[in-house]
Amino acid sequence: MKPYHVYWKGPVHKASGLGRASRAYAQALKRQGVAVSIGASNHRKNGVQGKKVLIYHHIPSSIQWQKERSVYDFIILNTVWETSRIPKGWLPHMNKFDAVCVPSRQNKGTLRNSGVKVPIFVVPHGVNTKEFHPNNKKMSVPGAAGRFTFVSVFGFQHRKNPEGLLRAYWEEFSSKDNVMLVIKTNGYAAHENEKWIQQKILQYKKRLGIQKDTAPVVIIGRRLSENQLKGLYTLGNVFVLPTRGEGVGLPFLEALASGVPVITTSWGGQMDFLTHSNSFLIPYQLRSPSSSMNRAISKKFSNLFVQKGQLWAEPDLGSLKKTMRKAYQNPGLCKQKGRQGRKDMFHLSWDRAGAFMKHAIEEVIRSKK
């Protein structure tokens, strides 16, 4: 293979899960011995040898084709999607890339079913099992000591199903149960701060007419440090997120690496690595995203998710309640599944992701000779 240089354009400076993944992919490629520059570079002055490859890790419809094609020999999209079909506006752009990398087998099927014709490579996410570890010091949350703790980490949007999680918890547990639910979340606009999210959740509880003395819920809507986030996972006896759709589900990987089992919907990119041995999996029905939007308590992103032919999973609320109760009553089973989850995560390193991506890049270069 003749020399080539990769230019990575993605949300590498963002604190989100997408930003963390973007940084991790770029660094993993570097560790594979690939020459990688992050962001735009002055190609004519930096003495780059060989072919120039752009990895574009942004929304496909935002690329400036004329500009990028004048600079790069190959352009590869790195993307992710969460429903059964990609947004219509993406498709014409996707077929102009030399190839597309996605993080799960479900994503590959979704792109093919949506009409993507260019080569598609599955380049899975990884997780750092040295950073996310069962021995990480637990985050301090008032009242959590001695309680069985459910932990959840997600952006405050409808796809993540916060209303399903909260309703199941409120209906299943009362103050007589020695439990707590700790939710780490974030809004998407300046006004969507911790207080705003807490208010939305309170209004939802009133709307449901839940009067009984429910078990405590702690809402963390501010940014946590890396150490706090790692300690939030280890605070949990179990991680719970009844999501409607995931391309991967980075928090699932991080929870399992921390030795904490997962309760989640059995549909989505996470099914590449979740099993009955490391998780509690909830049955679902595939539904149009629009069918639940009128009950939303969080950001809808309906411009992306309410398009013709799109489906995602609506997890069964009764099963979620029973499963949360089962986890609470069987802490030993949770520990067993958590130990298995950690073992499974040793096989999902970011170095492996880097090797998959390097292979994809070199296949594209070879095929275009």
Side-chain angles (χ1 to χ4, degrees):
M1 175 63 60
K2 287 182 179 170
Y4 62 91
H5 194 107
V6 168
Y7 296 85
W8 189 278
K9 288 189 182 178
V12 289
H13 302 298
K14 288 199 171 176
S16 63
L18 192 67
R20 294 203 339 265
S22 202
R23 289 190 293 279
Y25 272 128
Q27 296 301 332
L29 260 186
K30 283 184 180 179
R31 289 196 300 276
Q32 292 297 319
V34 176
V36 180
S37 298
I38 294 175
S41 296
N42 189 336
H43 313 295
R44 288 172 183 81
K45 289 185 182 172
N46 64 5
V48 168
Q49 297 296 307
K51 299 289 186 186
K52 298 183 187 76
V53 181
L54 171 63
I55 306 276
Y56 193 76
H57 194 196
H58 289 295
I59 291 172
S61 52
S62 64
I63 191 167
Q64 294 174 284
W65 280 110
Q66 209 172 343
K67 179 189 163 198
E68 306 298 22
R69 281 287 179 205
S70 70
V71 175
Y72 300 101
D73 300 295
F74 304 98
I75 303 179
I76 299 171
L77 175 67
N78 189 43
T79 195
V80 63
W81 189 244
E82 297 94 0
T83 72
S84 63
R85 282 189 180 272
I86 59 170
K88 266 211 175 106
W90 286 20
L91 186 61
H93 291 277
M94 277 192 163
N95 282 322
K96 289 182 188 173
F97 287 91
D98 295 300
V100 181
C101 293
V102 292
S104 62
R105 288 174 298 180
Q106 176 167 307
N107 267 198
K108 184 174 180 176
T110 291
L111 265 60
R112 280 280 173 257
N113 293 339
S114 300
V116 175
K117 302 279 195 291
V118 299
I120 302 169
F121 295 91
V122 177
V123 179
H125 273 34
V127 65
N128 188 331
T129 51
K130 287 188 178 127
E131 282 189 18
F132 292 92
H133 192 284
N135 294 340
N136 284 333
K137 188 186 172 192
K138 292 180 183 184
M139 184 179 165
S140 174
V141 172
R147 284 184 188 268
F148 184 96
T149 305
F150 294 96
V151 164
S152 198
V153 177
F154 58 88
F156 198 61
Q157 60 163 299
H158 184 60
R159 176 172 61 82
K160 301 289 186 175
N161 196 12
E163 62 279 349
L165 170 59
L166 288 160
R167 183 173 185 172
Y169 179 77
W170 284 328
E171 289 182 357
E172 186 59 36
F173 299 103
S174 74
S175 56
K176 293 190 182 99
D177 296 298
N178 190 30
V179 295
M180 177 178 273
L181 170 61
V182 180
I183 293 174
K184 161 67 186 90
T185 189
N186 60 274
Y188 294 89
H191 71 278
E192 294 176 357
N193 56 19
E194 185 174 275
K195 200 172 177 185
W196 181 87
I197 292 167
Q198 288 168 339
Q199 199 60 38
K200 283 275 176 194
I201 288 169
L202 206 61
Q203 286 164 0
Y204 176 56
K205 193 176 186 184
K206 280 181 186 160
R207 200 170 91 208
L208 289 175
I210 293 174
Q211 306 286 350
K212 71 170 187 174
D213 197 8
T214 51
V217 178
V218 174
I219 307 296
I220 302 167
R222 61 192 180 278
R223 193 169 160 190
L224 297 181
S225 69
E226 284 291 314
N227 282 342
Q228 284 173 317
L229 181 64
K230 290 170 200 166
L232 177 61
Y233 286 116
T234 53
L235 175 69
N237 296 86
V238 67
F239 181 92
V240 57
L241 181 63
T243 179
R244 294 182 164 104
E246 297 292 329
V248 184
L250 194 59
F252 299 139
L253 291 164
E254 292 170 348
L256 291 176
S258 306
V260 179
V262 166
I263 298 174
T264 193
T265 320
S266 54
W267 185 86
Q270 70 270 22
M271 295 311 294
D272 279 5
F273 55 87
L274 295 187
T275 67
H276 288 290
S277 300
N278 62 28
S279 305
F280 300 88
L281 298 169
I282 307 295
Y284 63 90
Q285 287 188 325
L286 285 179
R287 295 260 171 83
S288 161
S290 60
S291 67
S292 55
M293 288 283 181
N294 62 338
R295 301 194 302 275
I297 64 168
S298 54
K299 192 99 168 181
K300 295 178 188 178
F301 293 106
S302 48
N303 59 318
L304 294 172
F305 294 128
V306 187
Q307 295 195 8
K308 198 177 174 186
Q310 285 183 330
L311 298 170
W312 65 17
E314 206 56 57
D316 183 76
L317 197 70
S319 296
L320 175 59
K321 291 200 273 194
K322 279 182 193 157
T323 304
M324 290 174 81
R325 173 66 64 180
K326 181 182 177 180
Y328 169 55
Q329 289 175 337
N330 295 275
L333 178 61
C334 292
K335 281 191 174 132
Q336 182 189 319
K337 284 180 185 275
R339 279 193 298 271
Q340 183 59 49
R342 175 146 178 89
K343 268 188 206 165
D344 296 343
M345 293 307 100
F346 287 132
H347 306 293
L348 301 183
S349 67
W350 278 111
D351 283 345
R352 172 176 171 261
F356 272 100
M357 188 160 274
K358 182 183 180 186
H359 169 77
I361 293 164
E362 294 183 356
E363 280 291 303
V364 169
I365 293 171
R366 272 190 211 101
S367 71
K368 299 282 181 179
K369 278 179 182 172

